[in-house]
Amino acid sequence: VVHTMYIKCDSYSGGWVSAEAMMQMLGGKGNLLLLDVPAEQAVSTTFCKGFEDYVTENNPDASILEYINLNGNAQEDAYNAMRDLLTKYDDIDGIYSPDDNFGLGIVQAIQEAGRLDEGILVWGTDLQPGGIDALLAGDLAGSCWSDRYSGLYAAFTSALYFAQTGITAESLGYTKTPTTYVRFMAVTQDNIDE
């Protein structure tokens, strides 16, 4: 079935811009950990894949120590995984997670392990309320955000246009549904006011 239009947040771009910003903060090098969503979600939620691809393609002096899929989607899942990773690795420079709540669990584990003074950069995703507070407090180094308002605006105005004109992707001869991607931007303390 060819639908008239599909609007999607491009999670891959969120990982890509997050990696770019974090690697700038780290001077293009460092030991990194990636804590991803549960494996069954990683097919459609590709933040960590975008992050990994950026680092691999652009930062030969950076090492991804481990890329793991969490067992669940809660802050507690990231906390539990991070406790184990902190005992396994002595030298960690940055940690990326595709969710601000994961980031909060990671920060909690770092605090409890007494490793805050190591300056480990923790990056979240999606500017959720707790993540905004953690970013402003300096607990998260960054996050990424997509303008969902613009995406929804495009969806509704397009739907009205197609309904009024009767135009569809099929009437235009498309064999695939046209897709519009809402891109992400990296957010740090420097640009959070935007």
Side-chain angles (χ1 to χ4, degrees), residues 102-123:
F102 289 173
L104 297 175
I106 293 165
V107 168
Q108 180 185 357
I110 292 170
Q111 289 171 335
E112 289 181 10
R115 294 181 64 176
L116 271 181
D117 60 345
E118 295 177 25
I120 300 170
L121 299 183
V122 178
W123 201 280

Side-chain angles (χ1 to χ4, degrees), residues 143-160:
S143 188
C144 68
W145 178 77
S146 67
D147 186 358
R148 286 181 177 83
Y149 176 85
S150 294
L152 288 171
Y153 180 83
F156 281 107
T157 56
S158 297
L160 289 172

Side-chain angles (χ1 to χ4, degrees), residues 83-110:
R83 281 189 337 181
D84 294 340
L85 291 167
L86 287 167
T87 61
K88 186 174 181 180
Y89 297 106
D90 292 329
D91 186 15
I92 303 168
D93 298 297
I95 304 160
Y96 178 71
S97 65
D99 186 280
D100 281 350
N101 288 323
F102 289 173
L104 297 175
I106 293 165
V107 168
Q108 180 185 357
I110 292 170

